Amino acid sequence: MCLAIPAKLIELKGDQGVVDLHSTRLPVNTLLIPEAKIGDWLLVHAGFAIQRIDSRAAAQTWAALRDLAEAAEESPPAGAKDRPDAAPRVTGETP
Amino acid sequence: MTPPISHVNNAAAPLPAHFERIALAHGGGGQLTDALIAQAMLPRLNNPILAERLDAGLLERNGESLALTIDSYVVQPLFFPGGDIGRLAVSGTVNDLAVCGAEPLGLALSIILAEGLERKVLERVLDSIAATAREAGVQVITGDTKVVGRGHADGMYLTTAGIGCVPGSRNLHPRQVAPGDVLIINGNIGEHGLAVMLERDMPEVKSVLCSDAAPLNGMIGDVLREVPGIKFMRDPTRGGLAGAAADLAAQCGRHVVLQESHIPIRPEARHAADMLGLDPLDVANEGKVLLVVRPEEAEIALAALRSHSQGRGACVIGHVDAASDGICELHTTIGGRRIVQKPYGEQLPRIC
Amino acid sequence: MTRDEKETASILHRLRSSAAACPRTLAFMEVCGTHTMSAFRCGLASVLPKNVRLISGPGCPVCVTAQGEIDRMIELARRPEVTLCTYGDMVRVPGRRGSLEAARREGARVQIVYSSLDAVARARAEPARRVVFAAVGFETTAPATAAALLAARRLDLANFTVLASHKRIIPAMRALLQGAPRSGLGLDGFLCPGHVSVIIGQQAYEPLVREFNVACVIGGFEPVQILRALADLVDLARDHRAALINQYPEAVTPEGNQAARKLLDTVFQAGPARWRGLGEIAQSGMIIRESFARFDARRVFQLSEQAEREPASCLCGKVISGLALPPDCKLFGRGCTPISPIGPCMVSSEGTCAAWFKYGPRDAGGAPERHTLQEASA
């Protein structure tokens, strides 16, 4: 039920925008991500952006984006293939 | 958790799906269609040729083999990116002949029109039928037209039948399939079904995906000349690659293995399938053929396919194992294994 | 070896060696239909060590929508003045008498929408009709419904209402844990749903971890992300630690999506909700607030709560509580199939029984193999 896909915001007027991934374009509402701006990578669920994501993290995480990343990295910058600074966060530990 | 892949003797038997009324999914080309055929049709119409359940029935006469096939087309919308109902009908019928090793001789076309359909819609479809037939090098040699009252049909339905001759040397049949044989596909999967579904169900989405609908008889004819020993072919239409591979396993009684990482799929298609919540393996293709060849002939077959525009993406996607369990299994990218089944019924997008 | 294959191999190595250090069978539960589907599709079970089990919990919102809710949707759709808009997932779900799809065949106006705002747009375009948006889903989907309600109020739409059946996942997880001593459910931790967590945030699980001493790891949906989260869960079990780990930090923050949470709070308040298979769970529902009463289909159409009756001999309640596997059920694959589902877990393609039916093992007749939980744990 909670299918969400990453895509890049390419148009925005008020809170109505258009996202693109691999030339598939769909309308998106950015009410839940008020700070969204064109060029951002967004996680989109049922027509709404629910999260802003780091573009490098997006490329590492979602298989659908890997080809894009690989195409963009014909001459990869140093360290570009490493996992981005998104180390797991641990809290709430009980003994 | 899931128990390990089971080892069974025969998975060919259809599911015991008892029914009182026809559901839409009975026409989906999946397990329910199989159940419908097994429970309603075969008991009344069965004969040795029908029982083979190939894409075309083969008639032997005076040492010659004739192939006869028929299909109906009820696709909505009538026009979609990369094709239309007319191109689909001609390609589908020509391909059903070609995968049986037959060279198409002629087509019959039956049209059911709904009262009120615009003349220009009909003419556009007929133009497409004519163009696709020219592309395939075959002619429509007979036909029929009926009109039903408004509301009794959705615009237009087509039925196409095709007849072809099978050169005496060819013998494509699941029983030829042997352990060690490899599975080849001629290019990216899933694009037809996704393009149609996006056009029909999500018009607000703009996609670059196009139907791959195309007559493949030229390419298949060339491959058969280069590799006369091709064991078996099938066009993975409704039911997708999953349906074709599961059927192959059931019909040849062997264990068929697909390698997920080798199955060609455009990122655009993978993404669209993710968005719709679909498994790309289940999605229909209309310009693809699954070939089974001896491993030593794989390279020649690949080269012959790749010399055609419809086969540039040809690659090996799996093999036939020695086990005789009639099951198709997918080796996944994480090294996992799971059963590949024929889809149950028609595909519906999951949106939320 | 590709980068992905290397990473998968190294995670699997860690997972297997940790599991080998555990003397007993470890059971983890996921509570997200998309996790269920992803795990089945990648053949996850075949790469896990024998003593690690991943159970599917009540994570498919279509499946847990009570039968009475479906009946109310169908009842509304059958009214001549109503156009019922809903997500594609709902149209085939059976109520007591047929589905929305069947109602549509008989003339009801049922419209599939991709976004809640499409339903609002329809109400504006068809002022003479009464548009009802039937909304299901967990916290991931509920903000979209809240946005539609806000838009309706801003536009002062007189012909738009929402039939909301949204649910909150944490109270359901809590109910399972509270019932565990009686039900016999032995859980070593939760694989927490990535996209629900995008909204509610990592911190939302802290009370569960504290009160029940249960491990919670938030995971994404790619196979390698699920493996990474499971490896963490096995490590925690080996070390007898109950901690909360976020293995989906690309998308999940400690506090979640603040704008979405604020919006949810504006429109909904927590209240009791009925779950198919589990019964009523306190605080697990999202009730439309009084201030939006004129857009609440339940109030506007004065819909009555009906007594719920689960289908006889259906084991779905046990399946989504982790107490039975689909093949334990007498109906599975016999009376109950994806095209004629009886129980909730078969109704949605992401339900546990439907996923098992599609991707699970088969017996010699081609029917789903009847391999039971008892055998699996033996």
Side-chain angles (χ1 to χ4, degrees):
Chain A
M1 183 72 174
C2 295
L3 283 174
I5 48 154
K8 190 175 182 173
L9 190 64
I10 56 163
E11 284 175 32
L12 186 64
K13 205 170 171 189
D15 55 17
Q16 292 297 321
V18 174
V19 286
D20 174 286
L21 181 63
H22 288 307
S23 307
T24 298
R25 293 182 177 189
L26 61 151
V28 70
N29 182 291
T30 59
L31 183 71
L32 307 176
I33 306 289
E35 70 277 18
K37 55 182 196 309
I38 288 176
D40 282 353
W41 280 88
L42 302 172
L43 200 53
V44 179
H45 167 74
F48 283 79
I50 57 168
Q51 187 60 286
R52 234 176 89 180
I53 46 182
D54 177 90
S55 65
R56 279 190 310 157
Q60 299 292 334
T61 299
W62 284 275
L65 291 183
R66 225 151 284 158
D67 312 77
L68 278 187
E70 274 151 25
E73 285 174 20
E74 294 292 49
S75 54
K81 282 263 173 184
D82 295 336
R83 215 165 154 245
D85 52 346
R89 286 186 278 258
V90 185
T91 60
E93 184 149 348
T94 56
Chain B
M1 64 168 271
T2 323
I5 299 287
S6 58
H7 296 281
V8 298
N9 296 320
N10 167 31
L15 279 171
H18 179 77
F19 64 95
E20 290 299 330
R21 283 174 197 277
I22 295 296
L24 262 179
H26 277 117
Q31 293 178 25
L32 275 193
T33 306
D34 287 353
L36 180 70
I37 293 170
Q39 292 174 30
M41 282 122 188
L42 287 182
R44 294 169 177 86
L45 305 174
N46 205 11
N47 60 64
I49 301 176
L50 189 62
E52 294 276 3
R53 312 224 3 218
L54 298 177
D55 283 308
L58 298 179
L59 288 164
E60 307 290 337
R61 250 185 88 114
N62 307 331
E64 260 198 320
S65 184
L66 284 178
L68 178 65
T69 189
I70 186 162
D71 288 276
S72 292
Y73 296 84
V74 298
V75 66
Q76 283 296 331
L78 297 177
F79 305 95
F80 44 83
D84 57 77
I85 190 170
R87 181 169 180 80
L88 204 56
V90 173
S91 303
T93 301
V94 165
N95 294 347
D96 277 351
L97 291 174
V99 295
C100 293
E103 285 157 8
L105 296 172
L107 300 180
L109 169 69
S110 167
I111 309 183
I112 294 176
L113 299 167
E115 181 187 15
L117 183 82
E118 284 180 61
R119 173 179 171 150
K120 66 173 188 224
V121 171
L122 171 64
E123 290 186 342
R124 205 176 141 195
V125 171
L126 289 171
D127 285 343
S128 173
I129 289 173
T132 313
R134 270 195 302 279
E135 196 180 326
V138 63
Q139 288 178 315
V140 175
I141 53 171
T142 182
D144 179 53
T145 309
K146 296 282 190 304
V147 179
V148 295
R150 208 179 282 268
H152 289 270
D154 214 350
M156 180 191 306
Y157 301 145
L158 299 183
T159 299
T160 39
I163 189 161
C165 61
V166 185
S169 56
R170 292 181 188 170
N171 186 9
L172 292 119
H173 197 279
R175 67 175 159 261
Q176 309 285 344
V177 174
D181 288 348
V182 299
L183 273 62
I184 290 175
I185 194 143
N186 61 317
N188 293 325
I189 64 159
E191 292 171 21
H192 169 79
L194 289 167
V196 170
M197 198 176 284
L198 285 172
E199 184 74 11
R200 183 182 55 216
D201 297 326
M202 296 175 84
E204 66 275 23
V205 174
K206 301 280 166 272
S207 168
V208 290
L209 289 179
C210 285
S211 166
D212 58 352
L216 300 175
N217 55 320
M219 179 184 75
I220 289 174
D222 282 357
V223 182
L224 276 167
R225 273 182 286 282
E226 294 290 325
V227 188
I230 287 181
K231 302 289 190 75
F232 185 62
M233 287 187 278
R234 183 132 234 174
D235 49 343
T237 54
R238 293 177 312 165
L241 181 58
D247 270 350
L248 168 67
Q251 289 187 319
C252 73
R254 297 284 174 190
H255 190 81
V256 169
V257 174
L258 294 177
Q259 294 289 347
E260 188 175 27
S261 58
H262 296 178
I263 296 172
I265 174 163
R266 272 175 79 169
E268 292 88 341
R270 184 184 301 284
H271 170 59
D274 280 351
M275 192 171 75
L276 296 167
L278 300 177
D279 188 338
L281 286 183
D282 293 349
V283 178
N285 310 277
E286 293 291 346
K288 293 294 165 300
V289 56
L290 179 67
L291 305 93
V292 186
V293 302
R294 264 190 280 275
E296 59 272 24
E297 291 180 325
E299 281 308 319
I300 311 168
L302 287 172
L305 288 167
R306 286 173 186 157
S307 69
H308 274 262
S309 60
Q310 289 134 346
R312 285 207 212 300
C315 56
V316 172
I317 57 168
H319 67 275
V320 179
D321 239 15
S324 51
D325 56 13
I327 276 181
C328 177
E329 190 182 90
L330 181 75
H331 287 189
T332 69
T333 51
I334 62 160
R337 297 152 62 212
R338 71 150 164 97
I339 298 270
V340 173
Q341 279 191 66
K342 198 168 185 173
Y344 194 64
E346 63 177 327
Q347 296 279 295
L348 264 198
R350 289 192 291 142
I351 297 170
C352 51
Chain C
M1 242 194 203
T2 66
R3 196 181 132 274
D4 264 20
E5 285 166 353
K6 270 187 217 146
E7 188 176 6
T8 304
S10 104
I11 296 170
L12 268 174
H13 178 74
R14 170 160 75 98
L15 194 154
R16 286 177 181 143
S17 39
S18 295
C22 296
R24 61 190 178 85
T25 294
L26 305 174
F28 305 108
M29 178 181 274
E30 47 84 3
V31 285
C32 174
T34 308
H35 271 151
T36 313
M37 285 300 281
S38 186
F40 269 99
R41 248 194 227 177
C42 71
L44 183 78
S46 67
V47 301
L48 292 180
K50 276 199 164 47
N51 66 330
V52 175
R53 290 171 44 209
L54 182 62
I55 303 167
S56 294
C60 162
V62 175
C63 305
V64 299
T65 301
Q67 192 152 37
E69 284 295 305
I70 313 283
D71 289 339
R72 273 184 284 277
M73 286 178 202
I74 296 168
E75 184 192 319
L76 275 178
R78 286 188 191 279
R79 294 193 184 209
E81 75 278 18
V82 166
T83 297
L84 188 109
C85 296
T86 191
Y87 296 120
D89 312 47
M90 290 307 294
V91 295
R92 283 204 188 143
V93 181
R96 248 177 292 267
R97 286 180 305 276
S99 60
L100 287 171
E101 189 179 50
R104 180 162 64 176
R105 272 201 299 275
E106 289 157 28
R109 293 276 287 270
V110 176
Q111 185 68 37
I112 295 174
V113 293
Y114 171 66
S115 158
S116 60
L117 296 177
D118 297 343
V120 174
R122 182 159 287 265
R124 293 181 77 184
E126 299 181 4
R129 296 194 60 79
R130 299 179 81 181
V131 173
V132 179
F133 177 52
V136 294
F138 289 111
E139 288 94 333
T140 325
T141 316
T145 306
L149 285 164
L150 278 189
R153 189 166 71 176
R154 192 177 63 243
L155 297 164
D156 199 24
L157 286 178
N159 66 330
F160 178 80
T161 54
V162 170
L163 181 60
S165 311
H166 290 300
K167 295 198 167 46
R168 302 168 67 225
I169 194 68
I170 301 258
M173 293 163 76
R174 178 179 294 275
L176 285 173
L177 290 169
Q178 278 168 341
R182 269 173 293 118
S183 68
L185 171 69
L187 269 194
D188 295 279
F190 281 107
L191 168 59
C192 299
H195 292 147
V196 166
S197 306
V198 165
I199 304 296
I200 67 176
Q202 178 182 358
Q203 290 161 1
Y205 302 94
E206 278 172 10
L208 287 182
V209 177
R210 260 197 321 273
E211 287 171 44
F212 296 94
N213 205 32
V214 66
C216 286
V217 179
I218 300 168
F221 300 93
E222 300 279 334
V224 71
Q225 293 177 308
I226 296 180
L227 278 176
R228 208 183 280 144
L230 277 176
D232 279 4
L233 282 166
V234 174
D235 281 350
L236 291 172
R238 178 200 57 196
D239 302 342
H240 306 287
R241 283 167 63 209
L244 168 60
I245 301 178
N246 179 4
Q247 272 293 9
Y248 196 29
E250 304 92 315
V252 176
T253 59
E255 61 289 331
N257 182 327
Q258 305 269 34
R261 289 175 63 185
K262 194 160 157 251
L263 187 59
L264 285 179
D265 198 47
T266 306
V267 173
F268 298 109
Q269 64 193 69
R274 191 169 286 282
W275 295 56
R276 213 164 168 168
L278 293 181
E280 190 173 294
I281 301 176
Q283 300 292 306
S284 70
M286 297 191 206
I287 318 289
I288 296 178
R289 285 187 188 274
E290 193 62 45
S291 47
F292 288 86
R294 67 191 170 109
F295 303 109
D296 182 355
R298 233 171 281 267
R299 291 171 169 114
V300 170
F301 290 92
Q302 300 183 336
L303 300 173
S304 58
E305 292 289 327
Q306 292 157 354
E308 299 285 334
R309 238 193 26 237
E310 302 287 343
S313 70
C314 167
L315 284 191
C316 281
K318 282 193 160 176
V319 169
I320 58 179
S321 308
L323 301 172
L325 287 179
D328 288 324
C329 179
K330 281 202 288 268
L331 299 173
F332 178 71
R334 296 187 179 166
C336 185
T337 63
I339 202 65
S340 57
I342 294 171
C345 302
M346 192 65 93
V347 298
S348 161
S349 60
E350 54 189 290
T352 310
C353 293
W356 194 283
F357 193 90
K358 180 166 170 52
Y359 294 123
R362 305 256 119 183
D363 70 13
E369 191 179 82
R370 311 195 68 78
H371 187 107
T372 65
L373 186 61
Q374 284 68 38
E375 294 164 31
S377 2

